[in-house]
Amino acid sequence: MKYLILSDIHSNKEAFSAVLSFVRRKPWDKVCFLGDLVGYGANPNQTVDLLRSVRPVVAIRGNHDKVCSGIEQGELFNRIALEAAMWTRKKLTRNNLQWLKGLPQGPVVVDKTFAICHGTPIDEDAYIFGEIEALNVFRHTDFPVCFFGHSHFPVIFALSPDAITTILTVAPSFRFRLREGVRYLINPGSIGQPRDGNPLASFAIYDSDSRVVTIHRIAYRIEAAQGKILKAGLPRPLADRLAVGR
Ligand SMILES: [Fe+2]
């Protein structure tokens, strides 16, 4: 079974459309979404519609989905994120807002094969930045393979019986075969707002039969997404950061 693993789309229709047109030429069976469909970008309804159109087998909520849909009020958000979330809440159609509100909290186990979560499987709002956080998650969970998002940084953490290893991915297409007896935490990166210094949209395909993860980086019309953000009156740093992937 081949899974598209999508995360942190953040209302960036240009990036999401580019990913979907890229995978039109690749075989895949099911879509999993790791949260943060909206917030930051200028096309919240279009990105919700696009994700719904590919009928994800599992889609979970992110922290921005919670604040944009009104489940939470964003007390912990910075000023820019909060401003974008309140703008998004006003723009969302009633139907899309209800759909976002109904997204489940992770972790969710997909086809008894792997788990997905937004931040971590312990706390959906917490981050896994490095090996210390990854080790804590490995110690307190028992998923052999878990995909996570939230940090917008594509990376693989591997726990073998004697060591934890960080595997940095290499653009534009990074292929990695999972080994037996090793546990993995895998971040496919962000489609709509990468933060690893590479502005290309990032996502993963996981082939559960061959146990191969491929992380792809896709070019998209960044200037068009930036132009929409500025035209909508959203904070300028949200447009600027798309060009540098920070
Ligand atoms: Fe995010």
Side-chain angles (χ1 to χ4, degrees):
M1 193 72 73
K2 290 187 176 67
Y3 297 87
L4 287 186
I5 312 286
L6 313 177
S7 192
D8 294 280
I9 295 169
H10 283 291
S11 298
N12 187 335
K13 185 197 147 203
E14 280 69 30
F16 193 18
S17 300
V19 167
L20 291 179
S21 65
F22 177 81
V23 299
R24 221 166 271 145
R25 300 187 299 276
K26 297 227 168 249
W28 57 270
D29 304 297
K30 295 181 180 180
V31 171
C32 297
F33 175 63
L34 314 187
D36 278 2
L37 182 50
V38 296
Y40 293 143
N43 285 133
N45 286 306
Q46 291 87 339
T47 44
V48 174
D49 291 343
L50 273 177
L51 185 66
R52 293 176 77 173
S53 75
V54 295
R55 299 177 188 281
V57 59
V58 185
I60 58 171
R61 68 191 192 184
N63 52 324
H64 287 259
D65 303 321
K66 286 191 289 184
V67 178
C68 293
S69 67
I71 292 174
E72 287 181 0
Q73 298 313 313
E75 288 89 350
L76 298 176
F77 272 25
N78 64 40
R79 185 185 57 78
I80 287 174
L82 189 60
E83 189 178 331
M86 293 308 139
W87 180 91
T88 304
R89 196 186 284 180
K90 272 189 258 157
K91 286 283 167 188
L92 283 167
T93 65
R94 204 181 160 78
N95 187 275
N96 282 339
L97 192 127
Q98 287 306 321
W99 188 83
L100 280 170
K101 258 188 184 165
L103 290 176
Q105 178 178 354
V108 174
V109 175
V110 182
D111 295 342
K112 297 182 184 164
T113 306
F114 57 86
I116 66 170
C117 65
H118 185 60
T120 85
I122 303 162
D123 177 348
E124 62 181 341
D125 295 337
Y127 288 90
I128 303 174
F129 286 122
E131 291 179 356
I132 291 172
E133 294 96 353
L135 196 56
N136 186 49
V137 169
F138 280 128
R139 280 201 177 129
H140 292 93
T141 59
D142 57 3
F143 304 119
V145 178
C146 179
F147 289 89
F148 70 99
H150 196 35
S151 66
H152 299 206
F153 195 105
V155 65
I156 299 172
F157 296 105
L159 184 74
S160 61
D162 54 351
I164 184 163
T165 314
T166 303
I167 298 139
L168 293 175
T169 65
V170 183
S173 175
F174 177 80
R175 210 164 166 275
F176 185 83
R177 187 182 298 275
L178 307 188
R179 289 171 30 217
E180 289 298 336
V182 179
R183 294 173 60 200
Y184 294 95
L185 284 164
I186 305 167
N187 191 325
S190 166
I191 290 176
Q193 197 195 78
R195 291 180 195 159
D196 62 334
N198 179 346
L200 304 182
S202 187
F203 75 100
I205 296 177
Y206 178 49
D207 182 334
S208 60
D209 300 316
S210 62
R211 287 176 49 93
V212 169
V213 180
T214 312
I215 294 181
H216 294 281
R217 303 306 290 261
I218 304 295
Y220 72 96
R221 293 165 55 233
I222 291 175
E223 299 79 20
Q226 291 175 309
K228 286 180 179 177
I229 286 171
L230 296 176
K231 198 170 168 212
L234 287 160
R236 174 171 280 276
L238 294 176
D240 292 344
R241 67 189 306 172
L242 294 183
V244 287
R246 289 278 181 215

